[in-house]
Amino acid sequence: MNSVLNNPRSELHALQPLGEGTSDVESLPSYFCRLAVSHSVSTLALSRSIAQRIEHDVSHQFDWHQRRLASTCESAETWSAALSELTAVPNLDKLTFLSWQNVISRSGLSIVTRGQFCPSCFAEDLAKGRTPYFRLVWESAEVFVCSRHACSLETHCPHCGKDNIRHTAAYVVPGWCTHCGEFLGKEGEMPATASIDPAARWAARQIGELVHAQQTLASTPTRDNLINAISQIIEEMDNGQSALFARRIGVAKSTVHNWLKGDGTPTLKASLKIAAHSGASLTQLLSGDLSTWVCPQIEPQLILNLPQPKPRTRTVKRERNWAEIENQLQAFLVLPTPITVREAGRRLNIDPRLLYLRANMLTRQLGERWKEYLRRRQDEHVVNAWPHLEQACIDIWAEGKSVTLREVIARVPAPILAPLSNLLLNLKDVQSHLMRPDFESEAAK
Ligand SMILES: [Zn+2]
Ligand SMILES: [Zn+2]
């Protein structure tokens, strides 16, 4: 009791959550693990001391990771509040999905229990000098991929091959395997974007947007607004026929009926389907704000065949006339002012990478010509600036000072200096030229 009174600011370290205000916001389990590290205690010890305070009876088999701390359930509410209290850091419920508890059914938010992670996010954290941490979006079972790195989320350690090694242990340092202790991040070797299911990436992005939006919500989203939004979508897309709509999004007729007439609330998965088919974003739907939503214009029979959220847009492959393209490249090669390969690609409406792949030699020639042009231009600028630099050096020496960048910049007009890519080197050249004996004798004349 006394210790609480004597230390009113916070009993636990006031750790700031990571990734606040972004779709990469930290999850509550991650925050909890870092808090344990910060106090140099095990997650088990910390969780027991917290649990004993907030839960009436704590079984001796209590294990903190059985509590779904990032979800919309009671534990998330209790634990985020307790941690806010003990650390004096407000709004720790924003590290969970609690903001959406009225609009996702009680059992409708599946949480990944075995701890998935993006190895590239961890690697990036470390490379940028940040503390690696678990993202809130990784907690959702609807997220399989990292939308940023376009790679699958992992559950296994790349070193020891063990599963469930992210956070289920007494000692957890986010980013390191709890079994073998090796770093879980890995850089590069991105799989081809094509191998990632566009629907999975779309879903990951939607949920990323959701956790981004929840950090600045003006009010807690309500079930009524969600149901109104769904009614509006059914009205506009299917003329108010909920059976048609149910078929469209692939759920039972009775389920939709229960949302509209009963007290049912869609699961996160169902809401994703509604978003995918209606073109509203998941955030718009769940916050019940369709003010900017426009009903998609699609042929009715086409809608029923739409199993995936995103229509494939790149199926039509344009046949290219490479002989004609090579003629164009030839013409570019004799333009009075050279152009870059990128610009050539833009003019021909072709990805420059494809130009290197299909018209390799001409494209490389184009690239070389541009580089040569740049070199020449640079020389012209030096020639142009040279007399100014000479005069500046002479003036500076006359004042008994030594030549510094500051002195030169004060004397030579900026437009003369700006195009010089290596002013220091140019100045050195000018000075060594000025100090040559033949210049001295010329000056003496
Ligand atoms: Zn990532
Ligand atoms: Zn391992």
Side-chain angles (χ1 to χ4, degrees):
M1 189 74 176
N2 274 342
S3 67
V4 178
L5 289 176
N6 291 340
N7 186 9
R9 292 178 65 200
S10 72
E11 285 192 51
L12 297 174
H13 296 160
L15 276 191
Q16 218 40 50
L18 299 170
E20 270 185 308
T22 71
S23 55
D24 275 332
V25 68
E26 187 172 21
S27 70
L28 196 63
S30 172
Y31 184 82
F32 174 76
C33 291
R34 290 198 303 116
L35 197 60
V37 171
S38 165
H39 283 273
S40 305
V41 296
S42 71
T43 54
L44 205 62
L46 182 61
S47 68
R48 277 175 184 279
S49 79
I50 295 173
Q52 266 153 9
R53 234 169 207 279
I54 58 176
E55 296 185 3
H56 295 300
D57 46 67
V58 179
S59 105
H60 66 280
Q61 285 166 335
F62 171 81
D63 206 350
W64 73 275
H65 30 81
Q66 288 165 358
R67 302 284 193 277
R68 297 181 307 144
L69 295 190
S71 70
T72 54
C73 69
E74 179 109 20
S75 288
E77 221 162 348
T78 319
W79 281 70
S80 57
L83 286 169
S84 267
E85 183 195 337
L86 297 171
T87 57
V89 175
N91 303 322
L92 290 180
D93 59 324
K94 299 290 179 198
L95 311 189
T96 73
F97 285 98
L98 276 169
S99 306
W100 310 99
Q101 62 179 339
N102 299 328
V103 289
I104 300 175
S105 69
R106 271 205 161 268
S107 54
L109 178 81
S110 305
I111 291 290
V112 175
T113 51
R114 303 182 79 74
Q116 51 180 5
F117 56 89
C118 167
S120 300
C121 281
F122 279 155
E124 203 177 285
D125 284 340
L126 212 57
K128 294 198 170 160
R130 297 186 299 235
T131 308
Y133 66 100
F134 312 143
R135 274 69 172 167
L136 175 56
V137 285
W138 299 347
E139 302 298 316
S140 167
E142 302 305 326
V143 176
F144 312 105
V145 302
C146 172
S147 63
R148 232 152 87 83
H149 295 108
C151 59
S152 299
L153 296 183
E154 304 282 358
T155 50
H156 289 72
C157 170
H159 304 281
C160 67
K162 285 256 188 312
D163 174 45
N164 201 17
I165 38 67
R166 196 193 73 169
H167 68 279
T168 49
Y171 290 92
V172 182
V173 182
W176 279 266
C177 174
T178 57
H179 182 75
C180 72
E182 289 285 354
F183 185 51
L184 295 173
K186 69 174 177 254
E187 282 180 278
E189 51 181 296
M190 218 87 78
T193 317
S195 69
I196 294 292
D197 181 4
R201 202 169 175 193
W202 175 85
R205 218 178 286 133
Q206 293 296 311
I207 293 171
E209 261 181 51
L210 197 70
V211 304
H212 184 209
Q214 75 185 29
Q215 298 168 72
T216 51
L217 276 178
S219 58
T220 309
T222 64
R223 179 181 174 277
D224 282 356
N225 288 344
L226 167 65
I227 300 304
N228 286 342
I230 294 175
S231 300
Q232 186 186 337
I233 290 171
I234 296 176
E235 196 56 51
E236 290 196 42
M237 287 187 80
D238 291 314
N239 292 318
Q241 299 183 56
S242 53
L244 266 185
F245 181 75
R247 211 159 117 204
R248 177 202 289 283
I249 63 169
V251 302
K253 209 164 60 178
S254 57
T255 305
V256 175
H257 187 265
N258 190 31
W259 297 339
L260 299 178
K261 307 289 180 204
D263 56 4
T265 308
T267 61
L268 184 62
K269 196 175 189 155
S271 287
L272 275 169
K273 285 181 180 174
I274 299 173
H277 284 265
S278 67
S281 75
L282 183 66
T283 306
Q284 284 177 321
L285 180 68
L286 291 186
S287 49
D289 176 15
L290 293 186
S291 54
T292 56
W293 175 69
V294 182
C295 181
Q297 303 293 321
I298 318 170
E299 297 288 322
Q301 62 268 45
L302 216 113
I303 296 163
L304 298 176
N305 304 336
L306 257 185
Q308 296 299 348
K310 283 285 158 187
R312 276 177 284 155
T313 49
R314 292 224 196 143
T315 41
V316 186
K317 212 171 163 190
R318 218 153 24 111
E319 282 306 319
R320 299 190 188 280
N321 182 343
W322 282 101
E324 179 52 31
I325 289 168
E326 293 200 349
N327 282 341
Q328 295 273 7
L329 291 175
Q330 295 276 14
F332 291 158
L333 273 172
V334 294
L335 284 174
T337 304
I339 61 170
T340 60
V341 172
R342 183 183 297 271
E343 171 61 10
R346 197 189 63 80
R347 292 188 192 181
L348 297 173
N349 195 19
I350 298 178
D351 186 327
R353 289 170 297 186
L354 200 58
L355 286 179
Y356 276 112
L357 286 171
R358 299 282 175 275
N360 185 280
M361 197 183 74
L362 284 171
T363 307
R364 282 186 297 111
Q365 284 173 346
L366 210 57
E368 276 310 305
R369 186 165 183 252
W370 173 255
K371 276 190 217 152
E372 184 51 44
Y373 170 68
L374 270 191
R375 275 194 287 271
R376 248 186 299 123
R377 265 178 54 132
Q378 187 58 36
D379 287 348
E380 274 171 29
H381 291 309
V382 175
V383 169
N384 190 28
W386 192 273
H388 293 271
L389 295 178
E390 273 190 348
Q391 194 56 52
C393 289
I394 291 166
D395 291 348
I396 293 166
W397 284 335
E399 291 178 20
K401 298 178 189 167
S402 54
V403 175
T404 62
L405 270 187
R406 181 200 294 262
E407 295 289 342
V408 173
I409 289 167
R411 285 173 172 79
V412 181
I416 302 282
L417 293 181
L420 299 177
S421 65
N422 197 338
L423 178 56
L424 268 181
L425 189 71
N426 299 143
L427 268 179
K428 234 168 153 183
D429 287 349
V430 171
Q431 289 180 76
S432 56
H433 171 79
L434 285 178
M435 286 188 281
R436 262 171 29 205
D438 55 11
F439 181 84
E440 300 270 349
S441 54
E442 258 177 54
K445 276 177 202 166

